[in-house]
Amino acid sequence: MPRIDTLDEILNDRYSCRAFRPDPVPDTVLERIVATARHVPSWCNAQPWQVTITRGDGTQRLRTRLMETAAAGTPPAPDLDWPDSYSGAYAERRRTCGFQLYDAVGIEKSDRAGRKDQMLRNYAFFDAPHVAIIHSPAELGPYGAMDTGGFVTAFTLAATALGVATIPQAAIAGYAPLLKEHLDIAEDRLILCAISLGYADESHPANQFRTERAAPSDILEWRDT
């Protein structure tokens, strides 16, 4: 099989898992994921990414604290500003993804309380046994964040190849000050996202849908002159 076909298979198998079994992932598997993901390119080979992974009681303590903070209505304070808005195709894709999730778990579009409860599942890590907090140096700004985005992609693909499910989450990064204090992450780091990870509960309704992808013709533009 050509290697591009293997890559296609892994990319198609990866999805954002929203329900996990409690079984922990062995440290050796987590280390292998990071060992593979570290080979992505970065500007001047700076390799700005760092990952802090919880396990055992550490996951539960952080889960409890985030759930209490979010449920109390504490305003998010992300290190990087969130998007001002979504328009056009971006808004439609975002909306479609949300409706697919609500349909899968049986939440009516008019059920605001149900939608809020589902949103709060982000801060429970969807019951995952681990959460990885991804951060980069503030001094490298958006380019360090861009490089680290490549690491996030490679991390999720390496995990998929090893049978580990993942979901990258911006919502958790909204509580950057809490994460830094709780996990002893330096103030000169930017919290970019979290990745909840573990073994998928494949029977859960939240894991029964897949989002669509834009066609190559929607992405690619040619210029001959």
Side-chain angles (χ1 to χ4, degrees), residues 65 76-79 173-183 187 191:
R65 190 165 178 196
D79 282 341
Y175 293 101
L178 182 156
L179 295 171
K180 288 178 179 177
E181 183 270 325
H182 187 90
L183 298 172
E187 286 297 324
I191 303 292

Side-chain angles (χ1 to χ4, degrees), residues 33-219:
I33 292 170
V34 173
T36 297
R38 68 195 169 103
H39 290 289
V40 296
S42 60
W43 192 352
C44 299
N45 196 35
Q47 303 176 58
W49 43 80
Q50 289 285 314
V51 55
T52 302
I53 301 180
T54 66
R55 57 189 177 186
D57 290 342
T59 301
Q60 187 56 45
R61 284 194 295 270
L62 182 58
R63 186 187 346 260
T64 299
R65 190 165 178 196
L66 276 170
M67 282 289 291
E68 291 174 348
T69 301
T74 306
D79 282 341
L80 292 181
D81 290 339
W82 283 346
D84 293 329
S85 63
Y86 288 82
S87 61
Y90 315 121
E92 182 60 30
R93 292 166 188 161
R94 184 172 186 252
R95 188 163 43 245
T96 299
C97 178
F99 288 158
Q100 283 181 294
L101 172 59
Y102 300 144
D103 287 344
V105 298
I107 298 174
E108 296 292 334
K109 297 178 179 63
S110 60
D111 184 358
R112 292 188 177 182
R115 291 165 64 174
K116 180 180 179 180
D117 288 344
Q118 181 61 45
M119 180 276 293
L120 289 173
R121 296 285 297 144
N122 277 281
Y123 305 107
F125 318 139
F126 302 104
D127 298 327
H130 308 279
V131 65
I133 306 301
I134 310 297
H135 45 102
S136 69
E139 66 177 333
L140 298 187
Y143 287 97
M146 181 180 70
D147 285 343
T148 305
F151 177 84
V152 170
T153 298
F155 186 104
T156 63
L157 295 180
T160 299
L162 289 167
V164 176
T166 61
I167 178 169
Q169 297 164 265
I172 291 172
Y175 293 101
L178 182 156
L179 295 171
K180 288 178 179 177
E181 183 270 325
H182 187 90
L183 298 172
D184 196 26
I185 296 173
E187 286 297 324
D188 62 356
R189 307 289 299 180
L190 296 176
I191 303 292
L192 302 180
C193 72
I195 304 174
S196 293
L197 68 156
Y199 298 109
D201 179 352
E202 296 177 353
S203 65
H204 195 284
N207 288 334
Q208 302 310 306
F209 76 95
R210 297 292 182 269
T211 54
E212 295 183 356
R213 289 294 181 265
S217 59
D218 294 327
I219 301 167

